[in-house]
Amino acid sequence: MNCEHCQELISVYLDNELEQEVSMSVQTHLAVCAPCAKMCEDFAMILDFCDLDETEHSLPPNSKALWCRINNLIETEISSELSHKVKEEPAKRSWQFSFAQVFASILGIALVSSLLTVVGIKNYSAGDVSVNTAPSLFDRALGKIGIIETPQQTRENRVKEQQSAIDYWNKRVAAKRANWAANLREAFDRNLNEIDQTVFEYNRILQENPDDDLSGEMLDSALNEKMALLREFSEL
Amino acid sequence: MLLLSVVFFFASSGTLEVSAQKKFSRIYPASKNVRLQLTNRTGTVTVEGWDKDEINISAYLEAPAANIEPQSLSGTIYINLVKDNQGRTEVGNVNFLIKVPYSASVDIETRMGNLNVSSVRGGLVRAHISSEGDITLTNIGADNVAAENVIGDIFYDGGVQSGGNYRFTSTRGNINLRIPLNSSFKLVATAPSTRSISLGDFGNSSMKFVSDGRRVVGQNGDGSATISVTNQRGSISFIRR
């Protein structure tokens, strides 16, 4: 089974709606493929979160009032746009351009379309995540002008997501750890501390050198391990 | 009188030991490609391949004894001690000795304790320890192998099948892989903290140390299998089999 096929089936797999044989192939693939396992974990987490009653608390206190405010905001923006258009209409513009203007526009369009093509090809071909390659100067330039997300931005977003998942599992562990045997609690703390030290180390390296992609990758891996440790112990 | 009390002491302590540990045994008929899926809480799990079409489960339960309710569903034997004992405050270690057909798939995990698998050559061998414990996989011939722990050593001694996937991950411990020299694989081995990656006889011109020596990327033979090894704070060694 390849990653694409596995990722298509993850949602059905988590709902236990796959045939036994297909479910086993998915399971086997997840056991050896870190990116797919990560995706499955994210899915499972979302499902878990949705199952919880706590989601009710995250709803706004007065949803009708919120919708009212959103409606008002949209209507205000539409009316201001209309008034702008009305103001612009009377001034008729001449659509005659000089040769230099035409040349500059063609050049601009060509540049933008080639940039978009390159970005598209790069995104399409970026399949293998196991070997991390440093972004090229071109990538960095695209990132600086905001056409693509820089590796640092991607990492920061990913860390934020992981941190919120860790907070969630931390709460569940905190509620359960009092029931664990003393040796289990000690082992958990020891292992969590080990992972935390690793995370601390990579954060320090990344502060000194934000372009160190290997440390970024290892930080991601360590945070995933932390999530797994918390999730698996919260089941006890 | 003294002799009598000594005899009584040893007799009573022996009785205590016997009563403190229960034994659980069960045998299931199994097809050649049966799958064993075991989730333990704490304790040692040993799985051995044998030349019989059956799965023999022996479990030694320390007090307070855990509940065990294995299930056999469509060619898979499920044992889940986490689920079977959820909400219980004190559960003693459970040490398993399980015999499976050579061609079985084995997927075992534990929250804490050692995992040993030997003489298995089915589609999958997965050994996962949520926290600490050693993983020892010997005489393995599976296409897909995964071993993961946080603190503890990982030792793999087995083949590398064409098109197979092999993944070994630890945070602190030593990862030692003993594989045949003529194995064909693509390798990504990362030991960022120690930079201790020993390729042994597998060091060839295509193996390259990258990222300041923290990672080795390369290929042995035509590279049909994939080996990925990550040890955050420990060493990685390759040994010729």
Side-chain angles (χ1 to χ4, degrees):
Chain A
M1 178 173 285
N2 60 21
C3 293
E4 199 182 343
H5 190 203
C6 177
Q7 287 169 11
E8 276 171 13
L9 296 174
I10 280 175
S11 170
V12 198
Y13 167 73
L14 288 172
D15 291 337
N16 280 328
E17 284 171 3
L18 280 180
E19 281 176 25
Q20 189 73 25
E21 206 174 302
V22 186
S23 172
M24 271 185 189
S25 326
V26 173
Q27 237 170 7
T28 306
H29 182 82
L30 290 176
V32 291
C33 176
C36 289
K38 201 183 288 174
M39 180 177 266
C40 182
E41 203 162 88
D42 289 348
F43 260 112
M45 222 159 53
I46 292 165
L47 289 177
D48 262 6
F49 188 73
C50 292
D51 284 345
L52 274 184
D53 295 340
E54 285 170 22
T55 46
E56 286 171 16
H57 304 301
S58 62
L59 287 173
N62 186 348
S63 54
K64 274 189 181 171
L66 183 68
W67 274 115
C68 227
R69 281 212 302 275
I70 293 168
N71 267 335
N72 287 343
L73 202 70
I74 293 167
E75 277 168 17
T76 324
E77 277 182 9
I78 290 171
S79 58
S80 70
E81 265 178 34
L82 282 174
S83 63
H84 272 295
K85 277 183 187 167
V86 171
K87 277 176 197 168
E88 279 169 7
E89 259 177 23
K92 285 193 176 178
R93 294 185 63 177
S94 149
W95 291 97
Q96 286 177 344
F97 296 107
S98 69
F99 176 74
Q101 279 174 319
V102 172
F103 181 73
S105 343
I106 290 171
L107 198 68
I109 290 166
L111 191 69
V112 168
S113 59
S114 24
L115 279 176
L116 290 174
T117 311
V118 170
V119 171
I121 290 169
K122 271 182 174 291
N123 286 343
Y124 182 75
S125 59
D128 187 11
V129 292
S130 58
V131 181
N132 199 346
T133 50
S136 63
L137 275 175
F138 184 66
D139 284 341
R140 286 178 206 284
L142 289 179
K144 287 243 164 87
I145 57 175
I147 289 181
I148 60 168
E149 213 175 34
T150 62
Q152 284 94 320
Q153 286 168 330
T154 313
R155 188 191 311 135
E156 278 164 19
N157 291 338
R158 173 86 189 139
V159 168
K160 265 183 210 162
E161 282 170 22
Q162 286 168 315
Q163 200 49 57
S164 57
I166 286 168
D167 293 343
Y168 165 76
W169 291 115
N170 248 330
K171 276 182 200 159
R172 292 190 70 155
V173 164
K176 297 215 170 174
R177 63 174 286 144
N179 293 335
W180 301 344
N183 66 333
L184 203 62
R185 260 201 307 271
E186 282 162 19
F188 171 80
D189 290 339
R190 204 165 33 243
N191 285 268
L192 189 66
N193 183 43
E194 191 69 41
I195 297 174
D196 278 341
Q197 279 181 28
T198 314
V199 169
F200 176 79
E201 220 167 273
Y202 292 128
N203 274 328
R204 187 185 53 77
I205 295 171
L206 286 166
Q207 265 179 357
E208 286 167 13
N209 180 10
D211 292 335
D212 183 1
D213 294 307
L214 186 79
S215 293
E217 190 191 326
M218 291 295 113
L219 174 67
D220 181 62
S221 166
L223 288 172
N224 279 338
E225 273 169 35
K226 185 171 178 177
M227 255 193 298
L229 179 74
L230 290 164
R231 181 170 48 77
E232 286 164 16
F233 271 75
S234 75
E235 291 168 354
L236 292 174
Chain B
M1 187 65 184
L2 184 71
L3 187 71
L4 209 67
S5 55
V6 169
V7 169
F8 178 75
F9 173 77
F10 279 109
S12 61
S13 62
T15 316
L16 269 176
E17 259 175 40
V18 171
S19 65
Q21 200 169 64
K22 277 189 188 172
K23 192 183 172 189
F24 170 95
S25 301
R26 199 160 287 182
I27 297 173
Y28 291 92
S31 63
K32 292 258 185 277
N33 57 352
V34 67
R35 181 186 176 108
L36 170 72
Q37 189 147 349
L38 164 68
T39 305
N40 196 13
R41 284 173 63 107
T42 58
T44 299
V45 179
T46 303
V47 178
E48 291 170 1
W50 69 352
D51 193 15
K52 282 187 186 178
D53 287 343
E54 60 184 37
I55 289 189
N56 186 335
I57 302 167
S58 304
Y60 300 89
L61 290 74
E62 291 174 14
N67 296 324
I68 305 184
E69 288 163 25
Q71 283 184 309
S72 173
L73 288 171
S74 344
T76 302
I77 306 292
Y78 295 94
I79 308 167
N80 191 332
L81 268 75
V82 171
K83 210 167 125 193
D84 293 345
N85 295 278
Q86 215 150 30
R88 283 185 60 184
T89 46
E90 291 274 330
V91 178
N93 287 348
V94 180
N95 302 309
F96 281 96
L97 172 59
I98 302 176
K99 305 231 180 188
V100 298
Y102 288 128
S103 51
S105 285
V106 175
D107 184 348
I108 51 174
E109 60 176 85
T110 185
R111 298 294 169 258
M112 187 175 83
N114 299 336
L115 299 179
N116 309 303
V117 181
S118 63
S119 306
V120 173
R121 46 169 190 259
L124 168 76
V125 170
R126 175 180 175 262
H128 172 85
I129 303 173
S130 311
S131 61
E132 59 197 40
D134 296 335
I135 298 175
T136 309
L137 310 175
T138 47
N139 195 19
I140 304 296
D143 298 333
N144 295 289
V145 176
E148 305 145 313
N149 64 6
V150 179
I151 302 175
D153 296 337
I154 295 176
F155 176 66
Y156 176 77
D157 173 25
V160 175
Q161 309 297 319
S162 173
N165 275 299
Y166 299 82
R167 195 154 64 90
F168 305 93
T169 312
S170 181
T171 299
R172 184 186 280 281
N174 299 308
I175 301 181
N176 294 302
L177 308 177
R178 188 167 170 263
I179 54 176
L181 187 60
N182 61 0
S183 313
S184 163
F185 57 87
K186 283 191 188 75
L187 172 71
V188 180
T190 316
S193 189
T194 61
R195 290 174 164 83
S196 171
I197 305 173
S198 162
L199 293 172
D201 289 338
F202 294 89
N204 62 43
S205 58
S206 85
M207 295 287 183
K208 295 206 163 37
F209 279 83
V210 296
S211 300
D212 301 326
R214 291 175 294 172
R215 168 175 276 177
V216 172
V217 181
Q219 188 172 317
N220 200 55
D222 66 13
S224 56
T226 307
I227 300 182
S228 161
V229 195
T230 306
N231 200 348
Q232 302 272 13
R233 312 180 89 187
S235 66
I236 298 169
S237 297
F238 285 84
I239 307 151
R240 178 188 180 157
R241 191 179 189 214

